[in-house]
Amino acid sequence: KIPRSSTVIEAARSHQLGAMAFSASTVLAVCAPQSYFIASLGVAAAIVFANLGAAYGTAKAGAGIATMGIMRGDMVMRSLIPVVMAGVLGIYGLITAVIINGKLDKPDTLSAYTAYALLGAGLCVGMSSAAAGYAIGIVGDIGARCNALANGKLFVGMILILIFAEALGLYGLIVGLVVTASSVEHGAGLCTSYLS
């Protein structure tokens, strides 16, 4: 049994422990310099994965449209919708990367909470856009070919499927923007600057 000091026990009994607390500047940890790197990975993840999805969707759908154009050249312009929708996914990543980068104006006071939240936001948008690009590419490829064989009867169904595939990327964008907007506010004041 460890003997306890009577003064600590008396202070606890009289509820005066609050007076023994340290000031906030001595309790707060120093912000880690690598937090800026972690948050920058969120910028990279948003743009890289979104562009991977956009590139795959464009290439896969474009190959299907080119193949379909041999049989039905009159339907090529009408079948370019999947390529446009895949390109929008890259814009989602660009928007998020610019917004996350805008939150990195004070690297010396960037908390680990904020850094990991920004990384999560970038991954959310990037991976959602990559998944949407994969879906758009496959539907655009097969849909364009089948629509040409069906003389345009599958066009409306193909467009509806593409809209729901594009919505996957939009869901990731919305969540990523919400996380980005609240990360700096919730992570403020958790650590002190490593420059001081």
Side-chain angles (χ1 to χ4, degrees), residues 96-151:
T96 306
V98 168
I99 290 174
I100 292 174
N101 191 50
K103 304 286 185 183
L104 303 179
D105 55 346
K106 297 177 183 173
D108 59 317
T109 58
L110 189 67
S111 67
Y113 175 93
T114 302
Y116 281 109
L118 294 176
L119 173 61
L123 285 171
C124 179
V125 175
M127 297 302 279
S128 296
S129 295
Y134 183 75
I136 288 171
I138 291 174
V139 172
D141 177 20
I142 305 298
R145 297 179 198 203
C146 292
N147 186 43
L149 292 174
N151 292 322

Side-chain angles (χ1 to χ4, degrees), residues 4 40 64 111:
R4 297 189 180 188
S40 297
S111 67

Side-chain angles (χ1 to χ4, degrees), residues 4-45:
R4 297 189 180 188
S5 170
S6 62
T7 56
V8 173
I9 295 172
E10 289 172 13
R13 286 184 183 153
S14 63
H15 303 291
Q16 294 176 354
L17 282 178
M20 296 172 63
F22 296 101
S23 69
S25 63
T26 58
V27 173
L28 291 177
V30 176
C31 294
Q34 61 265 29
S35 292
Y36 187 83
F37 172 72
I38 292 168
S40 297
L41 286 178
V43 174

